Amino acid sequence: MTVCGLITKSQEPVPLQSISVDVAVQGFVADVVSELRYKNEEKAAVEVTFVFPLDDEAAVYAFEGLIGGTRIEARIREKKQAQQEYEDALSEGREAFLLERETNTSDIFICSLGNLPPDGEATLKLRYVQALAPEPDGAVRFVLPAVLNPRYTPQGSEGDTVTKGILRVPRGELPYTLSLSATLESSHGINRVESKCTLVPLRFTAEDRTAAQVSLAEGHQFDRDVELLIYYEEVHKPSAVLEAGKPGAAPGSLMGNPALLVTLYPSLRCASKPGLNTTGEFIFLLDRSGSMDCSTDYNSSDAPPRIQSAKETLILLLKSLPLGCYFNIYGFGSSYDSFYPQSVEYTQQTMSESLQRMKDLEADLGGTEILEPLKAIYSQAGREGHPRQLFVFTDGEVSNTDEVIAEVRRHSSSHRCFSFGIGEGASTALIKGIARAAGGSAEFITGKERMQAKALQSLKKALQPVATGISLRWDLPSGLEAVLVGSGPQVIFEGQRSLIYAQIRGQHQSSGASEGAVVLQYIFQDQTFTDTMKFPLQAQERDRLPVHRLAAQALLQELDGTGEKDEEKQRQALETSLSSGVVCSQTAYVGVNTALGQPVQGPLIHRDVPHAYYSAAMPQVMKKRCRRAAPCSAAQSAPIMMFSVKCKSATLDSDQCLFSEAEVLTPKKEEPPLLRLVSLQNADGSWVLDSGLADLLGLSEAEISSKAPGQVTPTVWATVLAILWLHSKAAEQSDEWQLLEAKALRWLQGNAGSRLADCVKTGNAVLGSTVSPQTFGL
């Protein structure tokens, strides 16, 4: 399935009138109510389907529609029963809808709404709960997606793919509106909220700043994702929330018992210094499909193509690797290739060879087929003493998501996987799924965000040991017991958020105790750590039950994601889905209006709905534009739950770009100074005193040499100057060069001798900087 929004049977869109979104965020959990209004402006009825994207960690729990003045509410059923009820209703001329998960992926939901009368309106209300992830700086990120990229179907798979042109109107004249309001809660306090969109100023609704409200300013043009970055006080402090069960649900069931959510976002107290681990096999898998030539941000005139950003990121990653490890670089599209037949040792020679080859990488491999290169990687045995770390960079999506995740999971015991979704439409099911399957972490890069900082954050995780031996101990009054929902986290990274769910069973027999506690214990670098989180036994009463539904979602992901036809697990998944209202692979929502209605008369027809485009004065921001019309044209992102168009074409094996280089030209930009400095660094961490370094420092090579302290080698002097430059000229990008600096400092410790302090003092004078000697361990 490749289209989003309210569409007709022939995949044409029905005009969108308005979107209204209400969000309740508590800690790392968001509860969302989204209402969308469409209108059939034709004089004949249409049979319509609603297709919409959701985050992989989101759980739909309610859906209703007001279609042509008739209200239909959803009921969850086993899938075959739901499909039969829907077909029976349509055959009788009654309004109906069918809501189910798309086959082979979990982040697209499809709702067949049946017959929309001529000139009739469809108002669709969707409720879902979602677990939120933190950014590297600690912000909790909520995103309302504007688009979902088209799925690419690998050769030999069933189904067809993308794309064709869409009617465009000038930006600012879109015929639909968006309103969004959010309430925020945190027991540790709220600091601020940031967004790329214009917001009404944050208003605190509690004196202790534990509650607040924020909303979008009027007139927002929904041509990009709506993103809220929420900054909490004491964000790394663990917390626990107890939520009361659903009234009337069976005692002992997941929904009938109170549910506990334990949130862990640790800042590990004995984290190793970055880069100390010199072992490992690092494999970088880069998407080189045609859409990687698209801009990273269509609303900016200076945003680079995705492939360029990815190449710069790979340079930083390669330069940051420690001597003695092994590495390889793969590119994939409709086919795949690799720099070396198998991973090679990281030396000055292999690093230089790889950097030279990296310069020639282009987005020239057609579609997005990731399964075959993964199989090729896994077919090679790992190296003893060098644990495998896989880094995947992609902007695309595949139709065989579940198959890809299952392949990664089959090899989870032999590697960790770190994944990166590039652009607004990256599949959360794919990106999060493969990271979760192999004990890694997932990151998403949208708009003007720099990929480099997030990639280096993940490399730091790969170079550091993780917290293992995780165990939970429950301290509860007599008569109560806690039962873990799912398996819980097996490893914890520095700075990675983990959510742990549990049922609280039994009857509280003591009237004295009003608190319970959960004790977390884990091992990090051969030391044992303990955290205790207390929580009141008076459970919070909530109509929407977000904790229960997220617990059900986590359990269903575990049960559905086994890739096996285990009857007991399938039975448990079906019972969990039916009781919680969270859709899984075996269930669907069906809604049928039982009031009498007349059969639909006349043919079904369709019409276009406009998307925004920039005027003729649009900056020439892209060398090429993507053929994927909705998500990949400059500033043409569709509104939420809108669409990208699907067509049958003879060229579907490639997602190359629509325009040639002659049509949209981009002047070549000078390499950023930081990247220039990084490119000059040797594999061992040192820099050579040459004309390239001298040009960057703004001095002549002779002048630099003449000011070096006595009895200091040119390489030591150059390396000190390079580190001083990083701290004085690129401090705001320190997340990108910390590992590079760590290598350089280790090299200096073994080569600078007693003259290091003189070098730092003289270097500060030469560059006009004031970097502390403590930076060099002095």
Side-chain angles (χ1 to χ4, degrees):
M1 193 69 193
T2 60
V3 291
C4 295
L6 188 66
I7 57 173
T8 68
K9 198 171 184 178
S10 54
Q11 287 101 38
E12 297 294 337
V14 176
L16 174 68
Q17 304 294 306
S18 65
I19 309 168
S20 175
V21 181
D22 176 63
V23 186
V25 179
Q26 182 176 32
F28 288 82
V29 175
D31 196 305
V32 185
V33 179
S34 184
E35 186 173 292
L36 300 97
R37 187 168 58 87
Y38 297 88
K39 186 176 181 180
N40 175 17
E41 296 180 347
E42 304 300 336
K43 301 302 180 184
V46 290
E47 182 181 345
V48 291
T49 300
F50 186 42
V51 183
F52 55 96
L54 282 174
D55 189 275
D56 177 62
E57 292 187 272
V60 174
Y61 65 86
F63 189 82
E64 65 182 53
L66 184 63
I67 303 171
T70 303
R71 184 170 299 279
I72 308 173
E73 293 188 359
R75 300 190 299 266
I76 194 165
R77 294 282 188 270
E78 193 169 359
K79 186 172 288 186
K80 288 183 179 178
Q81 180 185 352
Q83 289 170 340
Q84 186 61 53
E85 289 186 24
Y86 172 73
E87 290 169 5
D88 290 346
L90 276 191
S91 66
E92 297 169 8
R94 293 181 283 130
E95 295 87 353
F97 64 73
L98 181 70
L99 171 66
E100 58 189 317
R101 200 188 80 167
E102 186 185 10
T103 305
N104 294 323
T105 188
S106 61
D107 67 341
I108 301 178
F109 284 80
I110 308 165
C111 176
S112 299
L113 286 165
N115 306 311
L116 182 59
D119 294 319
E121 290 191 352
T123 300
L124 311 176
K125 183 176 285 189
L126 172 74
R127 299 175 186 265
Y128 63 92
V129 63
Q130 177 182 347
L132 304 179
E135 296 292 282
D137 65 354
V140 177
R141 181 174 184 254
F142 169 77
V143 176
L144 191 67
V147 297
L148 184 69
N149 275 355
R151 289 291 192 258
Y152 176 80
T153 306
Q155 294 177 357
S157 299
E158 294 182 0
D160 51 3
T161 328
V162 230
T163 62
K164 67 179 180 182
I166 304 173
L167 177 65
R168 306 286 170 182
V169 299
R171 186 170 182 259
E173 296 182 13
L174 292 174
Y176 45 79
T177 61
L178 166 69
S179 64
L180 179 144
S181 62
T183 59
L184 315 173
E185 289 183 33
S186 171
S187 58
H188 302 314
I190 300 163
N191 183 292
R192 68 188 188 278
V193 176
E194 296 179 359
S195 178
K196 292 179 287 187
C197 306
T198 305
L199 303 176
V200 172
L202 184 69
R203 182 173 66 88
F204 290 100
T205 55
E207 290 185 4
D208 59 358
R209 298 168 71 98
T210 57
Q213 291 183 339
V214 70
S215 60
L216 274 179
E218 288 188 12
H220 174 75
Q221 288 293 312
F222 204 2
D223 54 8
R224 67 180 71 186
D225 289 352
V226 175
E227 178 185 72
L228 299 180
L229 297 175
I230 306 163
Y231 291 84
Y232 294 133
E233 304 288 357
E234 298 185 280
V235 68
H236 291 288
K237 192 172 181 178
S239 63
V241 174
L242 185 65
E243 181 180 271
K246 184 178 180 180
S253 68
L254 175 60
M255 299 304 292
N257 287 137
L260 183 69
L261 168 61
V262 179
T263 303
L264 306 174
Y265 180 33
S267 180
L268 297 173
R269 285 158 288 189
C270 289
S272 60
K273 293 181 180 179
L276 285 182
N277 189 355
T278 59
T279 62
E281 179 191 18
F282 299 88
I283 297 178
F284 305 102
L285 183 55
L286 175 64
D287 187 345
R288 288 173 53 195
S289 62
S291 61
M292 286 290 286
D293 245 345
C294 294
S295 170
T296 54
D297 182 5
Y298 305 117
N299 299 285
S300 171
S301 61
D302 57 356
R306 295 170 183 175
I307 188 67
Q308 181 61 34
S309 184
K311 286 164 64 173
E312 291 180 8
T313 301
L314 275 179
I315 292 173
L316 279 170
L317 288 169
L318 195 61
K319 289 284 188 173
S320 301
L321 292 179
L323 282 173
C325 73
Y326 288 78
F327 76 99
N328 204 350
I329 298 172
Y330 283 74
F332 72 94
S334 299
S335 59
Y336 69 91
D337 58 25
S338 62
F339 280 18
Y340 306 100
Q342 59 185 16
S343 296
V344 296
E345 186 177 355
Y346 181 73
T347 64
Q348 180 65 36
Q349 180 180 347
T350 57
M351 184 198 75
S352 298
E353 289 175 356
S354 299
L355 288 175
Q356 190 61 42
R357 291 192 63 177
M358 215 176 289
K359 293 178 182 178
D360 298 326
L361 292 181
E362 298 290 345
D364 55 2
L365 292 184
T368 310
E369 298 187 26
I370 192 173
L371 187 58
E372 291 308 311
L374 283 174
K375 288 180 177 179
I377 291 168
Y378 296 144
S379 68
Q380 297 186 6
R383 294 182 173 272
E384 184 71 27
H386 291 273
R388 178 171 287 173
Q389 316 273 5
L390 174 63
F391 290 74
V392 179
F393 299 84
T394 179
D395 73 335
E397 305 177 10
V398 296
S399 65
N400 58 344
T401 298
D402 285 355
E403 191 178 357
V404 171
I405 294 172
E407 181 69 18
V408 174
R409 183 179 289 106
R410 274 194 289 273
H411 301 274
S412 60
S413 61
S414 63
H415 81 299
R416 283 190 292 179
C417 180
F418 299 87
S419 54
F420 303 86
I422 307 168
E424 284 79 359
S427 167
T428 62
L430 178 67
I431 303 304
K432 290 187 176 182
I434 59 177
R436 183 169 53 240
S441 61
E443 300 285 357
F444 291 86
I445 299 98
T446 60
K448 294 183 180 179
E449 290 179 316
R450 285 182 61 79
M451 190 187 309
Q452 291 84 342
K454 292 190 175 183
L456 268 295
Q457 184 85 1
S458 292
L459 182 58
K460 290 174 189 176
K461 293 176 184 178
L463 289 169
Q464 292 178 10
V466 298
T468 57
I470 300 165
S471 64
L472 294 172
R473 179 170 55 82
W474 307 94
D475 185 6
L476 297 171
S478 176
L480 295 180
E481 66 167 343
V483 179
L484 202 63
V485 177
S487 59
Q490 305 303 305
V491 297
I492 298 177
F493 293 107
E494 161 73 13
Q496 184 181 31
R497 179 269 288 153
S498 297
L499 302 179
I500 300 173
Y501 304 97
Q503 280 180 261
I504 305 298
R505 294 178 176 174
Q507 295 293 324
H508 188 189
Q509 297 175 356
S510 171
S511 59
S514 61
E515 269 191 341
V518 54
V519 181
L520 168 72
Q521 187 170 289
Y522 56 90
I523 299 171
F524 184 74
Q525 290 185 308
D526 298 323
Q527 295 188 53
T528 300
F529 296 91
T530 302
D531 278 317
T532 300
M533 291 142 284
K534 295 183 178 180
F535 54 90
L537 291 174
Q538 183 62 40
Q540 297 182 13
E541 301 281 349
R542 294 179 179 173
D543 293 338
R544 299 184 186 178
L545 299 168
V547 172
H548 283 77
R549 300 189 199 280
L550 277 178
Q553 171 79 341
L555 180 59
L556 288 170
Q557 282 182 334
E558 199 166 294
L559 295 172
D560 265 352
T562 59
E564 303 171 357
K565 297 298 182 182
D566 186 307
E567 289 186 5
E568 176 57 28
K569 288 182 177 179
Q570 286 188 322
R571 182 195 62 78
Q572 187 181 358
L574 179 60
E575 290 181 356
T576 301
S577 180
L578 292 175
S579 63
S580 66
V582 177
V583 176
C584 74
S585 60
Q586 301 180 65
T587 57
Y589 273 112
V590 63
V592 179
N593 183 343
T594 56
L596 293 177
Q598 296 297 319
V600 176
Q601 303 292 330
L604 299 179
I605 62 174
H606 60 81
R607 65 171 294 170
D608 289 331
V609 64
H611 275 205
Y613 77 93
Y614 279 114
S615 67
M618 180 187 79
Q620 293 182 342
V621 299
M622 298 170 60
K623 184 170 75 173
K624 296 179 181 179
R625 293 182 187 172
C626 270
R627 179 166 160 191
R628 293 179 174 179
C632 293
S633 297
Q636 291 173 354
S637 297
I640 184 173
M641 300 166 192
M642 280 296 290
F643 63 97
S644 48
V645 178
K646 164 179 168 183
C647 71
K648 297 180 180 178
S649 167
T651 58
L652 292 177
D653 60 339
S654 168
D655 44 7
Q656 297 170 349
C657 289
L658 181 63
F659 299 116
S660 67
E661 290 187 33
E663 291 175 290
V664 183
L665 298 176
T666 300
K668 186 174 181 181
K669 295 184 179 180
E670 185 179 350
E671 195 173 49
L674 175 59
L675 193 62
R676 287 169 57 197
L677 182 69
V678 169
S679 298
L680 296 171
Q681 189 183 31
N682 292 323
D684 60 7
S686 66
W687 273 268
V688 173
L689 181 54
D690 59 13
S691 58
L693 180 63
D695 289 343
L696 182 69
L697 299 178
L699 301 168
S700 69
E701 194 173 342
E703 187 178 4
I704 294 175
S705 298
S706 67
K707 294 184 177 181
Q711 299 179 337
V712 172
T713 66
T715 306
V716 167
W717 177 228
T719 302
V720 170
L721 292 175
I723 294 174
L724 292 174
W725 186 94
L726 287 172
H727 281 271
S728 60
K729 301 296 184 182
E732 292 183 354
Q733 294 169 258
S734 61
D735 283 346
E736 302 177 24
W737 51 256
Q738 284 176 351
L739 292 176
L740 300 169
E741 181 194 36
K743 285 174 66 173
L745 291 175
R746 287 199 305 277
W747 184 86
L748 284 174
Q749 288 169 4
N751 293 274
S754 60
R755 302 293 292 163
L756 182 57
D758 286 343
C759 287
V760 174
K761 182 179 180 180
T762 306
N764 273 324
V766 169
L767 298 182
S769 56
T770 56
V771 180
S772 170
Q774 292 180 340
T775 298
F776 294 81
L778 299 173

